[in-house]
Structure formats: C-alpha cells, structure tokens
Amino acid sequence: MSAVRIRNRGHLPHWESSHGIYFVTFRLADSLPQSAIREICHKEDAKPPEEQLLSRQSEDYLDQGAGSCCLRQPEIAKLVVCALRKFDGVRYRMLAWCVMPNHVHVVFQLLNGHDLAKILHTWKSFTGLEINRWLGRSGALWQKEYYDHLIRDREQLTRALRYVAENPERAGLRNWPYVYVSAEAFGGEMGSNVARHG
C-alpha cells in the first residue's frame, strides 16, 4: 500500500496516493450559470463549488442540462471517450466512466507513479482543443477546477461505481450509450488497492 499524502488545492485538503483509486468529476465551463453558483455558494458556506465536495445541489444543476451541453453530440462524446481510454493500462486502470451532456465522471486507479493532476490536464487539454476545433470555436471549454475523491474502502468504491453507472438514468437520459463500468472493478483485486488513512 503506497503512502497517502495531502495536497492543498485552495481551502480543502485533497488526499493523494501514487496507486490510489479516484472518483473524479470535471465539467464544461458553462455548465453552472452564475445564478446557480451564487446559490450553491450561499448554501455551502460561501465556498466556491470547485472547493466543495460534489454536493447534491451542484449535481442536480448539472443533471438538469445547463449550458451548451455539447457533450450530448455523439461525435464529441466519442472524442471524450477515446481520450479516457487512450492510456488505460499504461497510466491508469479505468474502472468506470460516464460522459454526460455537460460533465464527465471517471473512476480509475493510478499506475506506475503517474500523477492525478497531469492525467486530468491531459484529458482536458486534448479534448478541449479537439472539441473547440470541431465546434469552430475558441476559449476555455472545461472548468479549470475539478472534483476528486480518493477512494478509501470497498464500500466507497462500490458507491462511486454505482453513482457513475446510474447518473444517466437519474438525469432522465434513457439508453444513454456513453457509460462504462468494468466487471473487474467489483472484483477482489480492486478492493485490495483502495487507500486507507486515519
């Protein structure tokens, strides 16, 4: 079991482990309108949404389909899926993902000492350039910050996997094709690699 370290990203500490399993959410820059951000900040003790846990309220706003929702377009969703799969088995082991119309959930395990922030940067910078090219636009596509949670036990892992798998249905998206959960994720090997800290 690799050591757990604390990374400071603003107001909240973030747990990191070199072979940790993470639940990560990143979203389009226009996915939360300013009115929603103000309301969430007010209800969440004035902390910016990027520095909260992924609150029920912010998830509800995302699932309502705010913003351009360009990830709803099949060509764009497939581009994001290809980026997520690109280094599966090399930099990370992919356990689950879901590309929603305006945000993306991923559950994955870091491999070979790769860095969480660099992996997220790679996904977002590559897809940002390609999607902007596809849409004939420029500027920031993704919100700069993202939510990440280091999975600490099998219960949290199961909960994260179910959350990702069930997100389309919760959002009213029937037969949504851009969701994946590895059969391996529910096996014993993953359970033995979850991070533990006091």
Side-chain angles (χ1 to χ4, degrees), residues 48-61:
E50 300 78 31
E51 295 182 356
Q52 304 162 17
L53 294 180
L54 191 65
S55 70
R56 170 70 65 180
Q57 187 172 8
S58 60
E59 257 307 280
D60 287 346
Y61 274 114

Side-chain angles (χ1 to χ4, degrees), residues 32-193:
L32 287 178
Q34 287 301 311
S35 59
I37 291 173
R38 284 193 296 271
E39 186 175 343
I40 292 169
C41 286
H42 177 72
K43 290 186 177 182
E44 299 289 339
D45 297 327
K47 294 174 185 169
E50 300 78 31
E51 295 182 356
Q52 304 162 17
L53 294 180
L54 191 65
S55 70
R56 170 70 65 180
Q57 187 172 8
S58 60
E59 257 307 280
D60 287 346
Y61 274 114
L62 291 175
D63 287 344
Q64 288 169 19
S68 63
C69 289
C70 66
L71 305 180
R72 185 184 296 273
Q73 298 180 39
E75 299 84 359
I76 292 176
K78 289 174 186 174
L79 194 153
V80 175
V81 168
C82 287
L84 296 176
R85 290 177 166 169
K86 174 78 174 170
F87 294 105
D88 185 15
V90 178
R91 297 180 182 175
Y92 45 83
R93 180 178 298 158
M94 188 61 68
L95 304 179
W97 50 259
C98 181
V99 178
M100 296 290 286
N102 60 6
H103 64 286
V104 178
H105 297 300
V106 190
V107 180
F108 64 102
Q109 180 182 22
L110 297 176
L111 296 177
N112 305 322
H114 285 282
D115 180 72
L116 176 69
K118 288 180 182 175
I119 288 171
L120 265 293
H121 175 76
T122 299
W123 287 341
K124 291 166 68 179
S125 62
F126 172 76
T127 57
L129 288 171
E130 292 299 312
I131 292 170
N132 275 347
R133 185 178 297 126
W134 181 270
L135 295 174
R137 51 154 282 174
S138 60
L141 179 79
W142 299 106
Q143 173 66 30
K144 181 180 177 183
E145 282 292 345
Y146 54 87
Y147 165 81
D148 65 88
H149 177 75
L150 178 62
I151 302 292
R152 297 186 297 271
D153 55 42
R154 187 185 296 276
E155 182 182 350
Q156 284 191 357
L157 177 60
T158 300
R159 197 161 55 238
L161 294 170
R162 287 186 176 148
Y163 186 92
V164 171
E166 295 169 1
N167 194 194
E169 187 173 341
R170 284 195 311 273
L173 300 170
R174 303 288 178 235
N175 302 313
W176 188 249
Y178 311 112
V179 60
Y180 163 83
V181 178
S182 165
E184 172 194 27
F186 287 101
E189 182 182 351
M190 290 298 98
S192 67
N193 285 317

